Amino acid sequence: MRTRTRSSRVVVLAAVAALGAGVLAGCAQDGEGPSGGATSGGGDGGKGRTTLTVGVFGAFGLKEAGLYDQYMKLHPDVLIKQTSIERNENYYPQLLTHLGSGSGLADIQAVEVNNIAEVTATQADRLVDLARTDGVRQDSFLPWKWSQATNEAGRTIGLGTDIGPEGICYRKDLFAAAGLPTDRASVGALWAGDWRKYLDAGKKFKAKAPKGTAFVDSASGVMAAITGSEANRFYDKDGKVIYKTNPAVRNAWDIAAEFAGAGLTAKLQQFTPAWDQGYANAGFATVSCPAWMLGYIQDKSGAAGKGKWDVAAAPKPSNWGGSFLVVPEAGKHKKEAAELVAWLTAPEQQATFFAKRGSFPSSQAAYALPAVSGARHEYFDNAPIGEIFSAAAQGVPVQIVGPKDLIIAQNLADVGMLQVDQKGTSSKDGWNAAVKAIDNALDQ
């Protein structure tokens, strides 16, 4: 995972909701019934009506996509109420506290992918095994997504709502000025199969780059994309922290440090005002981008960037982002809640979620539906984003996610690689600084 969690992502989605993520999709059921206070008001919903509560963080998107309204229209005896805490770093500790006490819980709770390993390892007995719910089919989900919420005993305590398969977003005008190909197939071929080929392409770009432009936004972004494409990153299958000795992590670090050392980065930190300005000023030519980021790029690059951005396949399939829904055993309406979770994460609803909010399905069965398979993005030169991101999603390895992945990733990026990129710190010294910070954080 990247140095920014979904708490940043939901701000992104909220900021560009009016853009609809720029997705031009095939015929999807929009599922929007009459909107109103039913999803957030008080009361018991009337005599004989079951009230299901959903606890989420940020602008999670299910309500905004009209899915609650659609479900209530199909099930008049159900009233859905959602509560939201803006930031996951505030939401998650409260969730753990409530799970521990068995009180204060919603019927359904959201869990961010950075937290799912800890929840699966330590809270499985307090959560419903959703694999046993009618209508849930394991084979409809991507294997790596399903495995993230399944413990060693075979209990699947969460169903995935979405994922963040990555491509490489690039500016065709800057590529043309630097003498590089501009069509997405040829661009993808520049680095197909090897992140070092991405580095080589950057060196070719730099040789003829327009003045004031860099090849990539940040070294940290490169590092995170590479680690996101690896099966083993920070933990091994036994739960041991291995990032210090894992060749895959050191390879990602070394390549990212080479990007910085070769002067190929714009030396920016993602999700900062300077990064936003880099989009507006066409300050860099490429960025590793999950499907949900396209609306953000569109918003920050503005009208002047329309048709100049495009999307190509990444060197290797990688993932950034995604969340789950879980059902606490302490809930009053476990059966009804599990049925709602099964419906919300079914292929048809995930396709609607993508069409409305840009959240890419974790259900591989959704990829054949027109809303996904036919999806194109007008702003990105009508790129076939459904095809591009479906292929990436199906290539992501089954990845070991550890309980403190986020802490490790954040310190590698914000303590270590950021110094290398912005201050010219040596790769060795940057690595040592990151390791020291991680050790201190993990000891707490």
Side-chain angles (χ1 to χ4, degrees):
M1 295 297 297
R2 293 291 183 86
T3 60
R4 293 293 180 268
T5 66
R6 185 172 172 153
S7 61
S8 294
R9 192 189 87 159
V10 295
V11 174
V12 171
L13 289 175
V16 299
L19 300 173
V23 174
L24 303 178
C27 299
Q29 296 179 343
D30 67 17
E32 291 196 280
S35 61
T39 56
S40 58
D44 296 326
K47 184 177 180 181
R49 200 172 183 191
T50 300
T51 298
L52 296 178
T53 55
V54 184
V56 302
F57 47 90
F60 199 81
L62 296 172
K63 175 184 175 181
E64 293 83 352
L67 292 176
Y68 296 160
D69 285 336
Q70 184 180 352
Y71 191 82
M72 289 187 291
K73 189 174 182 180
L74 295 171
H75 301 82
D77 58 334
V78 172
L79 175 67
I80 302 172
K81 297 180 181 179
Q82 176 179 288
T83 59
S84 177
I85 294 175
E86 182 177 358
R87 300 185 67 84
N88 183 53
E89 49 262 50
N90 297 324
Y91 166 88
Y92 181 62
Q94 292 186 30
L95 174 60
L96 290 181
T97 298
H98 294 318
L99 283 170
S101 66
S103 63
L105 291 158
D107 293 301
I108 297 169
Q109 298 277 176
V111 179
E112 209 269 342
V113 68
N114 278 305
N115 305 125
I116 196 63
E118 183 173 26
V119 170
T120 302
T122 66
Q123 306 295 325
D125 292 343
R126 298 183 174 97
L127 298 167
V128 171
D129 184 354
L130 294 172
R132 299 177 180 273
T133 302
D134 288 344
V136 173
R137 291 183 52 187
Q138 178 178 345
D139 60 2
S140 75
F141 290 87
L142 290 161
W144 60 267
K145 184 70 172 183
W146 181 272
S147 71
Q148 287 178 335
T150 302
N151 69 3
E152 293 182 354
R155 288 175 59 86
T156 300
I157 53 85
L159 296 183
T161 55
D162 63 305
I163 55 175
E166 294 195 67
I168 300 293
C169 292
Y170 68 98
R171 289 208 47 136
K172 296 190 301 179
D173 55 336
L174 299 185
F175 267 50
L180 295 178
T182 59
D183 68 282
R184 63 184 68 96
S186 297
V187 169
L190 287 174
W191 48 66
D194 189 344
W195 287 100
R196 283 200 169 273
K197 291 182 180 179
Y198 187 40
L199 176 66
D200 293 339
K203 293 177 180 178
K204 292 177 182 176
F205 175 86
K206 184 183 179 183
K208 297 182 180 179
K211 186 177 180 180
T213 65
F215 180 65
V216 70
D217 64 323
S218 67
S220 293
V222 171
M223 178 176 62
I226 299 174
T227 56
S229 66
E230 297 289 348
N232 298 315
R233 302 180 304 166
F234 309 139
Y235 288 78
D236 65 14
K237 60 182 179 60
D238 297 320
K240 180 182 177 182
V241 176
I242 62 167
Y243 79 93
K244 293 179 189 177
T245 57
N246 184 0
V249 174
R250 286 309 298 261
N251 180 60
W253 175 276
D254 290 342
I255 293 175
E258 286 189 52
F259 267 85
L264 304 182
T265 81
K267 305 182 186 300
L268 299 172
Q269 186 176 21
Q270 293 182 331
F271 296 104
T272 63
W275 193 58
D276 294 347
Q277 197 61 39
Y279 283 114
N281 295 338
F284 49 87
T286 71
V287 61
S288 301
C289 57
W292 54 261
M293 191 187 283
L294 302 188
Y296 188 91
I297 295 173
Q298 177 178 348
D299 182 51
K300 300 305 178 183
S301 296
K306 183 177 181 180
K308 295 178 181 178
W309 281 100
D310 207 330
V311 188
K316 291 183 178 180
S318 183
N319 185 74
W320 172 9
S323 293
F324 298 80
L325 296 176
V326 303
V327 176
E329 286 280 5
K332 296 180 180 179
H333 306 291
K334 292 187 292 183
K335 181 178 182 296
E336 295 87 349
E339 289 172 352
L340 174 56
V341 170
W343 185 87
L344 288 169
T345 58
E348 295 77 10
Q349 281 65 254
Q350 290 204 29
T352 297
F353 197 23
F354 171 58
K356 295 289 185 180
R357 301 292 294 173
S359 297
F360 203 79
S362 64
S363 170
Q364 59 187 353
Y367 299 163
L369 299 178
V372 181
S373 65
R376 290 181 172 271
H377 204 301
E378 182 181 11
Y379 187 87
F380 288 79
D381 199 26
N382 211 31
I385 59 172
E387 296 177 10
I388 292 169
F389 291 114
S390 292
Q394 291 170 305
V396 173
V398 176
Q399 199 166 65
I400 298 170
V401 180
K404 304 300 181 183
D405 265 21
L406 180 58
I407 289 174
I408 296 172
Q410 282 182 325
N411 283 287
L412 284 173
D414 293 342
V415 174
M417 190 55 66
L418 193 64
Q419 292 185 24
V420 176
D421 200 13
Q422 294 188 348
K423 299 181 180 180
T425 302
S426 72
S427 176
K428 180 180 178 180
D429 288 345
W431 174 265
N432 289 338
V435 167
K436 182 178 179 180
I438 294 167
D439 286 347
N440 289 338
L442 296 183
D443 285 341
Q444 294 178 0

